[in-house]
Each structure stands twice: as C-alpha cells, then as structure tokens.
Amino acid sequence: MIGFWTLFYKEVLRFWKVAFQTVAAPVLTAMLYLMIFGHVLEDHVRVHGIGYTSFLIPGLVMMQVLQNAFANSSSSLIQAKITGSIVFVLLPPLPYSSFFIAYVLAAMLRGIMVGVGVLLVTVWFVDLQVVAPGWVLLFAVLSGALFGALGMIAGIWVEKFDQLAAFQNFLIMPLTMLSGVFYSIYTLPTFWQRLSHYNPVFYMIDGFRYGFFGVSDVSPVHSLAVVASCFALTSLLTLALLKRGWKLRT
Amino acid sequence: MIPAVSIVDVVKTFGSLRALDGLSLDIQQGEFFGLLGPNGAGKTTLISALAGLARLDSGCIRVLGHDVVRDFRQARRLLGVVPQELVFDPFFSVRETLRIQSGYFGIRRNDDWIDEILHHLDLTSKADANMRRLSGGMKRRVLVAQALVHKPPVIVLDEPTAGVDVELRQGLWQFVRRLNGEGHTIILTTHYLEEAEALCNRIALMKQGQLLALDSTVNLMAAHPGASLEEVFLRTMQR
C-alpha cells in the first residue's frame, strides 16, 4: 500500500506545485464563460423554469471536472514518457492496479478541486440551491474518475504532445461542449437531440445538474447507469493496457 | 548458492533484428560483473529485460531465484537499476525524488539512508535543489542514488560514468566498491574498458545479442599475454 500512496502523493504534488496553471487558470476560464454567457442570456433564456446563469453553473463545473481530470493523467504520462522518467514508476514492484488507482484518484482529485473552485467563485453571481448533494458528489466522483482513466489511455497511447492535443481538441472538447453544458438538449432539433443521447458526457452533466435543481432531461438513475457502465469499460481497458505494458514496456 | 542473476536462453527481437540471440549466463552473488560489447550488442536490451522494461520473446531471467515476469514484484525489489539515459522528474527536489522512490519500493521514513547516500555521492548540499537546476553529472549521481534507496542486493549500472567528470567517477567507484564489499552484486556496462578492467572480477563480452566470451578478468587477460582489456576486447570482437 505504501507504493500506491506514494504514487498518488507524487501525482497530487505534481499538479499542486503548479496549481496556478492546473487549478487557478481553469477556474478563471469558467468564470469568464459564466460572466459572458450569463450576462448575455440571463434575461432571455430560462431552462426547466431555472434562470440561465443558475442553469449554466453546474454544466461549467462538470466541464472543468472532466477536462482537468483528463488533462492530469494524460499530461503526467506523456511527460514521463517523453522525458524518460516513466522508468521510475516502471522499475519498482508496483502492481498495475495500484498504478491505475493512483493515477485515476489524483486526476479525479484535481478535477474536483477545480470544480469546487469554479463553484466557489460562481455562487457569488446567483443564489444556487443544491437539492440532492449525494447525486452531485456521485456524478462528480464517477465522471472525474472516468475522464482520469480516459486520460490514462490517451497518455499511454500517444507519443507526442501534438497527438495528445488532437485527442483533446477533436474528442474531449467536442464531447464536453456538445453535451448540454450551455443548453438543454430539448432545445435542439430532433436529430441532434437523438445524437446527444449517444454522448456519455450528456448523462454526466444532466445527472450532476439534477443534484442541484431536482430536474433533468433524463432520469438520474438512467444517467448513473450510463456513466457507471462507461467507467467500468474504460477501467477494464486501461487495466488491460497496463497489464500488457502496451507502449510502456517494449 | 542461488545465482544473483540467472539468464537462460533469452531471445528478444525487434522486427528482423535479434537483439538477444539465445544468450545464457549466471552472475554469482557478490560478483562485480562487467557486461561489455560495442553499441548494438544487446547490453541495454538485456538490462531492460532484467528490469522488466522489455519483454522477452523466449527464455527467462531470474533475480536471486525470482522470475522477472512471473514473480516480478519480488524480483524488482531485489534489483536497483541506474538507467543509461539522463532522466529526471523536473517537478521535484533531490530529496523529494529519493523519498518518492523509496515509497515506490514500500519504504517510509528512509531519511537516514537517503542522507548517507547523499553524503557518499557528494549531493548533501543539493538535497533541496530542484532537479532542473542540477548539472548533468549531478543528475547522474541522483540516478545512482535512486537505484540505491531500497538497498537492493543486485545493482545494475548501465554506463553510469558516461559524460561524468573524473572526480565524480572516482567518488562513484569508491562508493560502489564499498557496496560490493558489503555483499551487493554489481553488474556494470561501460565503454570505458580501463574501468571494467580495474573493477570487475568477471567479464562477459557480447556482440549482436550473443555471448562471445565469459571468464574472470584475470583469465581473459592471461589468455592474451601483454594485452590490455581494450586489445582483448578488439581481438574478441574481430573473431
């Protein structure tokens, strides 16, 4: 267990030492989104009877949780692979399950820290109620872990920073932006509504939002089942890659 | 006595290249063993396979009786490897790096031994310096320190003095000799043959993944009267 805790501690220390970049900067970005979109749309748009700024906040929080969890594990692995310092974790007797859990927990922690930061600075703009905190926590933890695991797959798979940027810009960013962060999918044309149901991030944001307002586009139990299944599949794939040493051991 | 390292008929290919071609040898406990050969001989591939960084196509390697694949956790606990490349984690100080490395091997509160290693490698004054601020020679010393944090009985040094100044070399060899005197098995690869001649009790000469010669340093030299190890090396490679 000491090996696992050390790897977890190292991963947390790694992002904490550059917290201005890894925690403060995404909080500022989310605040800018809120100020701009909230100012423009607050008087014109209501979703499920909720004011637009209030509706937007949970989406922004979850978007930052996901993007930062992904960034943490993926950047840590790609940096270690490129600099060669990955040998320091490959040489010791660490079981691959410890490797997986330590990276995913650290990624999830960074995502949630950024999410809490976003929440703390944005609640000054509106009086935000949380009707079901259990759902909020459950979706934050599970979704952060899922994107932490996805970041591990990306970090193991890619060999250059530009490949990782492509992964982020052409997969992660569209999935999060087109998931209902800024709108309810029921405001979309039928085709795009249907397509949104194939985006797992939609369920993460919808379930997370349910915890705040008690209303959602689909049932939170349905969302939880989708997110939990995606997490299970991603975890199994990551564990299989680590066990094989794919792109880590020659 | 169980060999410190037992290598049995190992084969490793990269496409059409046979980096290790049916190589077998035993390294006994307490030996100071030299693994020599030209670039591309397979030395680093062999060390990578020993350390679990490379997977063999066939054959097996055991460290003090523990298979490096089937019983990898125990085998890796017994092994300390100084990699050839000058690698480091830029986020941490020297002391943080060594504490973290100790933790990976399941050791908490290792500061007494860390201080001793830092002292012997002349790194005490740099303990709290960030790794990025160290010179190449100092980074090399930290790599040696990282390999020693868990006091492994078998220590592998893959070209540890490449690009290192004379003073550090002397200090490093003094420390490694002391570890060998205390019973640690040392496996050394180097292109500085005079170092191998002075330090190693036994030497293996490799070429294209195969073993060309394996004998004590004394016997190798005796077979070529009046020749230096460099001449022995060149003659063996030209066979």
Side-chain angles (χ1 to χ4, degrees):
Chain A
M1 282 302 277
I2 297 173
F4 156 73
W5 283 114
T6 305
L7 187 53
F8 171 67
Y9 167 76
K10 189 272 280 184
E11 280 299 295
V12 173
L13 198 61
R14 195 191 69 87
F15 78 75
W16 189 246
K17 284 196 174 213
V18 284
F20 204 66
Q21 173 204 333
T22 55
V23 180
V27 171
L28 176 68
T29 307
M31 203 171 76
L32 291 172
Y33 272 124
L34 187 83
M35 286 168 71
I36 294 164
F37 285 95
H39 175 73
V40 172
L41 298 172
E42 175 64 26
D43 296 335
H44 308 286
V45 179
R46 291 185 73 78
V47 187
H48 296 308
I50 302 157
Y52 185 72
T53 310
S54 298
F55 173 83
L56 183 58
I57 289 173
L60 285 177
V61 170
M62 183 53 102
M63 186 171 82
Q64 294 298 356
V65 169
L66 302 180
Q67 289 183 351
N68 284 280
F70 178 87
N72 202 67
S73 48
S74 60
S75 66
S76 178
L77 279 167
I78 186 73
Q79 275 176 13
K81 277 170 63 178
I82 286 174
T83 62
S85 64
I86 191 84
V87 293
F88 302 137
V89 290
L90 295 179
L91 289 172
L94 289 165
Y96 60 88
S97 54
S98 296
F99 201 108
F100 170 76
I101 299 169
Y103 271 81
V104 167
L105 276 183
M108 187 185 79
L109 183 67
R110 173 172 155 192
I112 288 177
M113 281 173 75
V114 174
V116 169
V118 173
L119 208 51
L120 288 176
V121 297
T122 52
V123 289
W124 298 103
F125 292 87
V126 285
D127 183 21
L128 196 67
Q129 303 293 318
V130 183
V131 299
W135 284 108
V136 169
L137 194 65
L138 191 58
F139 276 99
V141 166
L142 211 49
S143 306
L146 168 53
F147 269 61
L150 206 56
M152 283 192 83
I153 294 173
I156 292 169
W157 186 11
V158 303
E159 279 154 18
K160 293 186 286 186
F161 282 110
D162 59 319
Q163 291 171 332
L164 183 62
F167 206 99
Q168 271 173 319
N169 294 324
F170 293 99
L171 182 68
I172 302 302
M173 190 64 93
L175 278 180
T176 49
M177 297 292 271
L178 301 175
S179 59
V181 170
F182 298 99
Y183 53 82
S184 162
I185 61 159
Y186 288 111
T187 59
L188 297 174
T190 312
F191 172 78
W192 293 105
Q193 267 185 48
R194 284 189 184 149
L195 197 65
S196 296
H197 282 97
Y198 292 99
N199 179 358
V201 182
F202 157 70
Y203 298 94
M204 295 173 204
I205 289 175
D206 200 52
F208 188 66
R209 203 170 255 143
Y210 175 85
F212 285 86
F213 307 118
V215 288
S216 52
D217 289 339
V218 298
S219 138
V221 176
H222 180 178
S223 294
L224 183 64
V226 172
V227 177
S229 305
C230 288
F231 177 56
L233 283 174
T234 313
S235 300
L236 286 174
L237 177 60
T238 317
L239 285 164
L241 296 180
L242 290 172
K243 190 177 179 184
R244 264 187 69 189
W246 187 63
K247 294 212 172 188
L248 294 173
R249 301 177 197 273
T250 53
Chain B
M1 191 162 53
I2 303 169
V5 174
S6 180
I7 298 162
V8 184
D9 204 16
V10 295
V11 174
K12 173 72 182 173
T13 53
F14 295 103
S16 59
L17 174 75
R18 280 176 89 82
L20 296 172
D21 193 3
L23 189 140
S24 295
L25 67 94
D26 280 350
I27 299 167
Q28 301 306 323
Q29 291 184 44
E31 275 195 299
F32 203 129
F33 189 88
L35 199 56
L36 308 181
N39 290 332
K43 307 182 296 293
T44 298
T45 304
L46 183 60
I47 287 170
S48 297
L50 171 63
L53 298 174
R55 291 170 187 273
L56 293 169
D57 297 340
S58 63
C60 73
I61 303 180
R62 284 185 285 268
V63 181
L64 289 163
H66 299 277
D67 189 285
V68 299
V69 177
R70 281 197 297 275
D71 194 8
F72 75 93
R73 295 191 66 185
Q74 195 54 33
R76 286 184 205 165
R77 231 182 280 280
L78 300 167
L79 202 62
V81 179
V82 181
Q84 192 181 116
E85 286 82 20
L86 207 54
V87 293
F88 64 96
D89 198 325
F91 288 90
F92 306 111
S93 70
V94 173
R95 186 176 291 283
E96 282 171 339
T97 298
L98 297 179
R99 280 182 180 156
I100 287 168
Q101 202 66 24
S102 302
Y104 291 160
F105 283 91
I107 305 164
R108 215 179 254 163
R109 287 184 281 277
N110 197 25
D111 273 15
D112 287 348
W113 176 236
I114 287 173
D115 284 336
E116 197 176 330
I117 303 173
L118 290 173
H119 169 71
H120 285 293
L121 291 168
D122 200 16
L123 282 167
T124 305
S125 64
K126 299 290 177 191
D128 298 313
N130 185 283
M131 289 296 299
R132 274 176 302 190
R133 303 202 179 280
L134 301 187
S135 66
M138 283 180 183
K139 286 186 185 118
R140 179 76 67 189
R141 287 185 235 183
V142 178
L143 282 176
V144 175
Q146 281 179 267
L148 300 178
V149 285
H150 57 296
K151 298 184 183 172
V154 181
I155 299 164
V156 182
L157 304 158
D158 193 1
E159 299 188 29
T161 50
V164 165
D165 64 46
V166 177
E167 198 180 349
L168 168 62
R169 272 192 214 178
Q170 294 307 319
L172 178 63
W173 293 136
Q174 204 176 353
F175 186 43
V176 173
R177 268 190 172 128
R178 198 194 104 182
L179 291 168
N180 184 232
E182 289 170 0
H184 294 264
T185 306
I186 312 290
I187 302 168
L188 168 71
T189 80
T190 180
H191 286 294
Y192 300 108
L193 299 182
E194 68 280 12
E195 282 182 352
E197 188 177 341
L199 293 161
C200 301
N201 319 117
R202 210 154 64 99
I203 285 173
L205 295 176
M206 285 177 68
K207 187 182 177 185
Q208 293 172 345
Q210 293 179 329
L211 204 57
L212 294 188
L214 173 65
D215 211 333
S216 68
T217 314
V218 174
N219 286 348
L220 276 176
M221 304 299 288
H224 301 82
S228 65
L229 182 59
E230 193 168 316
E231 287 163 327
V232 174
F233 178 88
L234 289 171
R235 285 177 202 173
T236 309
M237 292 302 143
Q238 282 161 5
R239 264 191 226 159

